[in-house]
């Protein structure tokens, strides 16, 4: 028999966006239900040191920060559910959402905070060296490579921005791109080429991330020339993979307006999607900033937007009686 959970607010995702939405909604007396998904706590649970989340003078750990957010959300009345959503029907309200665990969720409002995942090259050595010199976020981890040689892999806006950003920390930044021209906007390319601390290696892909030492750390990259197949190596201590992100929006593709890269579109200055009562926050609707604090900020906005929607809906229902 199907288990049915009815709620005034269903939050999909338990990263900083979902947890912040939960804290605000719970404090407003809404008793939200948070579906945590297969990555409870979200992307920050995959990293170690976090130095840029406000409020902590000392370095904190990503998994710890997310445990604290969850504890705070539960403390004020949010209900956590360990489930993964496999289908949503946004054509009628209450919205109907199906979980893999056999539960149907009926929700008056929905906050989508399903995040995004960095795309990786898919090499075994890349997987092995994550958090040991290989990262997908220069803004997050660049600080740890102060004064070291680093490489950024990719040729789009993100890669170019990350290469430029890394010159705040390093005088020796190499951009590695698989073709002989960049996809990035011209203005970013101009800045990149004008920067004396960045060199570009064209027509090259990473064949392997090289490591050594104790504790094991990144020592270099083995590169393959994409035209000739010839192998070469460069010495770097930091490797930033910047080949794009994939927002977790497959569930909503035919129901919500997405942009050309698959991110949920919201009304400017709000978290409102094209369906009244459905709100989106965090990395699932933000391809520019992608930070824990911006995800938390838009999570707060989503809870406030949803709370206002509920109040209006409930007022109209009372008036109609
Ligand atoms: P996410 O954290 O991506 O959470 C998404 C949530 O949605 C997860 O709980 C997942 O289980 C859930 N979900 C997805 N699909 C479903 C589904 N179908 N059903 C139910 N649930 C679902 N930012 C910083 O500010 N500082 C840092 O130092 C920093 N370091 C980082 C290091 C790494 C290695 C990475 C990968 C990212 C880092 N970031 C950092 C970025 C930061 O983690 C993200 O910007 C932030 O986590 C986005 O939060 P979010 O809540 O939008 O989504
Ligand atoms: P992107 O535009 O999709 O670029 C990805 C880059 O990675 C491309 O250069 C691609 O090479 C390369 N790449 C992909 N797979 C690869 C692989 N397996 N091996 C090696 N290289 C690979 O992604 P993005 O740069 O993250 O940008 C995503 C979206 O966000 C874009 O719309 C972008 O404009 C936007 N964005 C905007 C800003 C801004 O406005 N300031 C900043 C960041 C991002 P090819 O070129 O050969 O395909």
């Amino acid at each position: 028999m199907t288990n049915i959970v009815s709620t005034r607010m269903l939050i999909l995702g338990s990263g900083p966006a979902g947890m912040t939405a939960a804290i605000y909604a719970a404090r407003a007396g809404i008793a939200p239900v948070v579906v945590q998904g297969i990555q409870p706590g979200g992307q920050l649970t995959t990293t170690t040191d976090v130095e840029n989340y406000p409020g902590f003078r000392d370095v904190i750990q990503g998994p710890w920060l997310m445990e604290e957010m969850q504890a705070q959300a539960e403390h004020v009345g949010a209900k956590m559910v360990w489930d993964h959503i496999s289908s949503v029907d946004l054509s009628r309200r209450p919205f109907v959402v199906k979980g893999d665990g056999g539960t149907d969720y009926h929700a008056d409002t929905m906050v989508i905070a399903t995040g995004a995942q960095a795309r990786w090259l898919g090499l075994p050595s890349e997987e092995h060296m994550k958090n040991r010199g290989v990262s997908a976020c220069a803004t997050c981890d660049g600080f740890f490579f102060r004064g070291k040689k680093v490489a950024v892999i990719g040729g789009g806006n993100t890669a170019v921005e990350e290469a430029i950003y890394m010159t705040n920390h390093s005088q020796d930044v190499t951009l590695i791109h698989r073709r002989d021209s960049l996809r990035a906007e011209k203005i970013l390319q101009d800045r990149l080429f004008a920067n004396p601390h960045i060199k570009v290696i064209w027509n090259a892909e990473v064949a392997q991330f090289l490591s050594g030492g104790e504790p094991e750390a990144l020592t270099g990259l083995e590169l393959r020339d994409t035209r000739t197949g010839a192998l070469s190596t460069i010495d770097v201590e930091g490797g930033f993979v910047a080949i794009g992100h994939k927002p977790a929006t497959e569930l909503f593709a035919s129901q919500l307006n997405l942009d050309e890269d698959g991110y949920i579109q919201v009304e400017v200055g709000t978290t409102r999607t094209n369906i009244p009562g459905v709100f989106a926050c965090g990395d699932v609707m933000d391809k520019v900033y992608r930070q824990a604090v911006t995800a938390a900020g838009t999570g707060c906005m989503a809870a406030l937007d949803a709370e206002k929607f509920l109040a209006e809906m409930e007022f109209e229902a009372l008036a109609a009686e």
Side-chain angles (χ1 to χ4, degrees), residues 7-11 18-35 73 76-81 109 111 303:
T7 176
R8 292 166 77 204
M9 190 187 296
L10 186 70
I11 299 172
M19 288 300 186
T20 307
I23 291 165
Y24 273 77
R27 293 194 74 249
I30 292 172
V33 172
V34 180
V35 182
V76 291
K79 182 170 188 292
M80 300 291 149
V81 181
T109 57
V111 170

Side-chain angles (χ1 to χ4, degrees), residues 88-141:
V88 296
D89 181 356
L90 306 178
S91 65
R92 61 204 152 111
R93 230 178 18 243
F95 306 118
V96 178
V97 170
K98 288 189 180 299
D100 283 347
T103 300
D104 277 7
Y105 302 87
H106 293 188
D108 293 332
T109 57
M110 190 184 307
V111 170
I112 299 173
T114 47
Q117 297 288 326
R119 292 183 200 275
W120 294 94
L121 297 168
L123 301 168
S125 57
E126 172 189 60
E127 187 59 35
H128 181 65
M129 293 311 294
K130 282 180 191 171
N131 289 327
R132 294 181 175 131
V134 175
S135 162
C137 182
T139 320
C140 316
D141 298 331

Side-chain angles (χ1 to χ4, degrees), residues 119-122 153-161 176-179 181-185 188 204-206 241-245 259-261 263 287-290:
R119 292 183 200 275
W120 294 94
L121 297 168
I153 297 121
N157 278 348
T158 303
V160 170
E161 281 191 344
I176 295 163
H177 184 39
R178 63 183 177 183
R179 295 188 292 119
S181 65
L182 297 171
R183 180 185 293 273
E185 288 166 66
L188 288 175
E205 61 188 8
V206 177
V241 179
I243 61 170
H245 280 74
D259 75 6
E260 67 283 4
D261 296 312
Y263 289 79
K287 66 181 171 199
V288 178
Y289 302 106
R290 294 192 293 234

Side-chain angles (χ1 to χ4, degrees), residues 275-321:
I275 296 186
V278 180
F279 306 87
C281 52
D283 284 14
V284 77
M285 47 72 89
D286 166 23
K287 66 181 171 199
V288 178
Y289 302 106
R290 294 192 293 234
Q291 296 298 296
V293 70
T294 48
T298 53
C300 160
M301 290 167 64
L304 297 179
D305 286 344
E307 190 187 327
K308 184 161 174 272
F309 178 89
L310 274 175
E312 285 167 3
M313 193 182 95
E314 285 159 4
F315 178 77
E316 279 168 23
L318 269 181
E321 274 176 11

